[in-house]
Amino acid sequence: MDKKITYNAWYFAAALAGILLLQSVIAGFAGTRAISYSEFQQLLRNHKVEAVAVSDRFISGTLKEPLSTGEQRFTTTRVDENFADELGKYDVKVSGQIESTFLRDLLSWVVPVLLFVGIWFFIIRKMAAGGGLGGGLMAIGKSKAKVYVETDTGVTFADVAGVDEAKEELQEVVDFLQNPEHYGRLGGRMPKGVLLVGPPGTGKTLIAKAVAGEAKVPFFSISGSEFVEMFVGVGAARVRDLFEQARKHAPAIIFIDELDAMGRSRMPGLTGGGNDEKEQTLNQLLVELDGFDTKSGVVLLAATNRPEILDPALLRAGRFDRQVLVDRPDKMGRAQILAVHLKKIKLDPDVKPEQVAALTPGFTGADLANLVNEAALLATRRDAMAVAMTDFNNAIERIVAGLEKRNRLINAREREIVAFHEMGHVLVAMALPGSDPVHKVSIIPRGTGALGYTIQRPTEDRFLVTREELESRMAVLLGGRAAEWVVFQHLSTGASDDLRRVTDIARSMVVQYGMSPDLGPVTYERDQRTMLGGMAMPAERAYADTTASTIDREVQDLAQQAFDRAVGVLNERRAQLDATAAKLLESETLDTAQIAAIIAQVPVSA
Ligand code: ADP
Ligand code: MG
Ligand code: ZN
């Protein structure tokens, strides 16, 4: 859009300048000067006038010798109705009609206009011939967003650090691009689209480029946000164009950055209005996704930091059916990322990447790149020979202040609470029978809400769950809150999601599964999930008020029992809780084996 406005402004300025120039040339050639009637009378009386032509309203004529300003011709307004006598007196030749100015007007206005229309057409023709890509600027009638194509991105996996899992998954895409025929040998099919999901600055764009760089294929990229302001139809044309170009250059990668900007969920009932363009673009993308064959050797990558708002149609099988998580790095990941960026600066030997990594919890790859740059600038400012640890400390202080304002970092005290909270979940899960084993625990903030997280993997698919298992599940969910209670004797808001899930379980036990002794084996609520236009209908209540209060009390009892149980478990294992939480604070993530190793050394107090 910006571009277009600028172009138009230039055309306009050029046209104006041209018109003014031509007019002055024509006027100068004619050598005519507009004078007042009294001046004319003066000239007449001084015998300076050679000849005049008179119309109803104007007089024009020639002089015997040029005026002081150089012109020999003049025009003036006719004031005196009858001045023919006077003219005769001074021996001036008179012709009745003034000469026509039509031709002059034509020349001074029409010629420049024609000229610029001509130039305009010439430029458009040239651009159209150049095509969307090679032509550069724009292709009228085709599309206006830029497709960036890099034949060699110059980025490899070595430039991307700390996201080993994502790299491993994408290695497959690299292998495929390097050898598409070989890949389909056993009938296997590449996923059509791979969606990179992760918070901003974690290196999604970078890793997409690295895939192209590793496979040595051209990288066609476009950002979803560029589609937002386009005219209806242009976005769709652009998408078609993008795929067409990539297919021509296959094997190739198409990368759609910020997919959420264009793949935002289409809201039913809210169509029309300003949504048409986005919908058309999205529909075109879906059409292209469905239409393209992975055998063509084109792989589609996209990135988003808000997968939850994407239109579900995009995530269906055969579209973006594989998601790769690009998460914030833990301490070791940060050290590796720092190692990549520290190579670019002159470093004092006293700076250790591990040390800097320890000081920067919550930083993303982009934050770390920024940090290295800031430190280098600070060192330059103090005329140092190399970047020292003090520069890093100062730079960290600055950046942390900024990130805290944007709510992306949690402070030391909060980190401690989160560590105990998460370890609470873990220890309760390990102590209670029938809980899913803990796979990984982390205090690196993930997504928007959760401050830390514990991943439990179910050992097997389950369809039937016993009462005991549900009770254990609730105790594990409350383990976080219980740990806060045991260690700090206070409660925080960090457990609200846990509480919601506990309440859901307890309530289902009472009203759906008939597990409350007081209420008996009776279901009090039918399936609540009667969806009508995406809205849950409030369930009809088919029981007395007294029953309602019994249900509430039973739900409370179940939750309270689970909480007490969790507190009991943690009191017994207080030493283990302290030891593991300290370790978690230090390394930010722990897996099953690491937790087991610590616990093995700390006895359970009876
Ligand atoms: P995203 O697309 O996820 O928002 P970018 O790929 O644009 O993040 O990252 C911005 C910059 O941050 C990169 O150009 C790179 O310098 C740095 N960076 C981010 N993540 C990493 C990483 N994992 N390894 C090395 N550098 C990184
Ligand atoms: Mg990006
Ligand atoms: Zn929790």
Side-chain angles (χ1 to χ4, degrees):
M1 286 304 276
D2 283 3
K3 273 272 150 57
K4 195 165 167 269
I5 287 163
T6 333
Y7 283 132
N8 283 347
W10 274 111
Y11 283 134
F12 187 73
L16 205 68
I19 287 166
L20 290 176
L21 194 79
L22 252 139
Q23 266 194 316
S24 73
V25 165
I26 288 166
F29 185 71
T32 306
R33 184 176 174 80
I35 59 174
S36 67
Y37 189 73
S38 56
E39 259 181 284
F40 166 68
Q41 283 180 316
Q42 192 74 43
L43 288 165
L44 194 63
R45 279 168 204 146
N46 294 344
H47 300 276
K48 293 251 172 81
V49 180
E50 170 87 32
V52 293
V54 182
S55 74
D56 290 353
R57 291 167 51 220
F58 300 105
I59 303 164
S60 68
T62 45
L63 301 169
K64 287 178 180 151
E65 58 205 53
L67 288 164
S68 57
T69 46
E71 295 95 337
Q72 205 162 355
R73 299 170 62 169
F74 66 87
T75 57
T76 187
T77 330
R78 179 172 172 178
V79 176
D80 188 352
E81 284 286 308
N82 301 302
F83 68 122
D85 306 346
E86 224 174 329
L87 287 175
K89 241 195 314 195
Y90 299 105
D91 191 24
V92 176
K93 285 176 227 144
V94 180
S95 62
Q97 256 324 291
I98 198 161
E99 71 189 84
S100 164
T101 61
F102 176 71
L103 197 69
R104 206 172 68 199
D105 292 348
L106 196 76
L107 279 178
S108 66
W109 288 102
V110 176
V111 168
V113 169
L114 282 178
L115 199 69
F116 285 103
V117 168
I119 291 174
W120 192 302
F121 270 107
F122 174 71
I123 290 174
I124 287 172
R125 274 246 314 274
K126 221 180 127 185
M127 282 185 193
L133 280 168
L137 301 177
M138 59 176 179
I140 303 279
K142 264 190 151 183
S143 48
K144 293 195 176 74
K146 272 169 279 178
V147 172
Y148 299 97
V149 58
E150 292 176 55
T151 34
D152 181 12
T153 57
V155 181
T156 65
F157 277 160
D159 300 308
V160 193
V163 282
D164 294 338
E165 283 166 39
K167 274 202 268 188
E168 243 165 62
E169 294 199 48
L170 290 168
Q171 181 61 44
E172 196 186 346
V173 175
V174 174
D175 294 342
F176 166 73
L177 285 168
Q178 280 174 336
N179 204 343
E181 299 84 26
H182 176 79
Y183 204 87
R185 192 168 48 96
L186 299 178
R189 177 180 78 77
M190 264 308 287
K192 273 189 192 172
V194 180
L195 185 62
L196 305 171
V197 179
T202 46
K204 298 181 294 298
T205 309
L206 188 70
I207 204 169
K209 281 188 179 172
V211 171
E214 287 283 326
K216 301 201 173 50
V217 299
F219 182 74
F220 291 82
S221 74
I222 191 159
S223 173
S225 58
E226 286 175 43
F227 288 100
V228 173
E229 288 181 70
M230 277 194 224
F231 300 117
V232 173
V234 178
R238 174 90 244 110
V239 169
R240 208 176 308 127
D241 216 37
L242 180 69
F243 279 78
E244 206 175 285
Q245 295 288 343
R247 262 192 295 264
K248 249 183 244 164
H249 294 82
I253 283 181
I254 298 175
F255 177 57
I256 303 177
D257 212 345
E258 300 173 59
L259 181 66
D260 44 290
M262 104 186 199
R264 191 181 278 271
S265 174
R266 294 165 291 186
M267 273 176 276
L270 281 180
T271 42
N275 271 335
D276 286 0
E277 165 57 9
K278 242 190 241 157
E279 248 194 86
Q280 276 199 19
T281 310
L282 178 56
N283 285 338
Q284 186 62 39
L285 178 64
L286 294 173
V287 167
E288 294 290 346
L289 268 171
D290 290 342
F292 103 36
D293 184 0
T294 39
K295 287 199 202 94
S296 66
V298 177
V299 171
L300 186 61
L301 299 182
T304 181
N305 47 34
R306 305 172 68 191
E308 69 281 356
I309 66 163
L310 286 181
D311 196 293
L314 274 171
L315 306 176
R316 226 165 270 157
R319 291 172 179 167
F320 285 104
D321 45 10
R322 187 176 299 184
Q323 300 197 10
V324 172
L325 181 67
V326 187
D327 219 345
R328 287 208 179 88
D330 63 5
K331 193 166 139 194
M332 218 173 48
R334 291 198 301 273
Q336 288 163 358
I337 294 172
L338 280 166
V340 169
H341 290 281
L342 290 176
K343 268 188 233 147
K344 297 168 197 160
I345 63 169
K346 204 161 178 305
L347 201 63
D348 194 293
D350 75 336
V351 181
K352 302 267 175 299
E354 293 76 27
Q355 210 178 336
V356 179
L359 293 170
T360 49
F363 276 44
T364 62
D367 295 332
L368 292 170
N370 181 22
L371 168 69
V372 171
N373 190 47
E374 282 276 316
L377 289 179
L378 289 176
T380 316
R381 202 170 304 159
R382 64 176 179 89
D383 283 332
M385 298 298 295
V387 188
M389 197 59 208
T390 50
D391 301 313
F392 279 98
N393 285 328
N394 292 336
I396 288 168
E397 252 169 57
R398 280 188 189 194
I399 293 175
V400 164
L403 293 180
E404 262 170 6
K405 252 188 226 135
R406 278 183 279 145
N407 255 340
R408 275 178 43 194
L409 292 190
I410 50 179
N411 65 35
R413 167 91 180 140
E414 286 167 336
R415 268 163 59 80
E416 203 185 344
I417 296 174
V418 172
F420 276 103
H421 177 106
E422 296 304 329
M423 274 332 291
H425 287 305
V426 173
L427 290 185
V428 174
M430 289 177 123
L432 295 185
S435 309
D436 295 325
V438 171
H439 173 68
K440 185 180 166 192
V441 55
S442 168
I443 53 169
I444 299 167
R446 170 182 243 180
T448 41
L451 293 176
Y453 56 91
T454 305
I455 301 176
Q456 280 178 290
R457 288 252 164 102
T459 25
E460 55 204 293
D461 283 337
R462 302 291 291 274
F463 297 103
L464 284 177
V465 189
T466 63
R467 184 194 164 106
E468 287 66 36
E469 281 163 347
L470 287 175
E471 281 172 348
S472 296
R473 207 174 278 178
M474 284 193 291
V476 171
L477 283 169
L478 289 169
R481 190 182 172 85
E484 291 181 39
W485 180 249
V486 167
V487 178
F488 304 103
Q489 279 84 48
H490 72 83
L491 301 172
S492 77
T493 55
S496 61
D497 186 54
D498 298 336
L499 290 186
R500 194 157 40 239
R501 288 163 63 190
V502 168
T503 314
D504 286 348
I505 294 175
R507 203 173 166 78
S508 310
M509 285 173 73
V510 175
V511 301
Q512 263 184 7
Y513 305 135
M515 288 178 179
S516 153
D518 281 7
L519 291 163
V522 176
T523 290
Y524 290 90
E525 264 164 36
R526 296 284 155 79
D527 194 357
Q528 276 179 301
R529 279 168 266 279
T530 325
M531 298 299 254
L532 193 77
M535 303 268 269
M537 296 296 288
E540 204 180 310
R541 218 180 76 178
Y543 44 82
D545 282 351
T546 46
T547 316
S549 61
T550 315
I551 290 174
D552 288 342
R553 206 193 53 239
E554 288 287 296
V555 170
Q556 277 169 22
D557 282 355
L558 281 172
Q560 187 62 47
Q561 281 160 22
F563 182 75
D564 293 344
R565 197 160 163 221
V567 169
V569 167
L570 292 175
N571 271 329
E572 265 173 33
R573 291 168 173 73
R574 181 60 203 268
Q576 292 186 343
L577 180 62
D578 290 344
T580 47
K583 184 72 187 163
L584 181 61
L585 261 178
E586 191 195 311
S587 58
E588 295 169 19
T589 49
L590 291 177
D591 60 25
T592 330
Q594 288 169 308
I595 298 167
I598 305 163
I599 286 179
Q601 291 170 4
V602 187
V604 180
S605 61

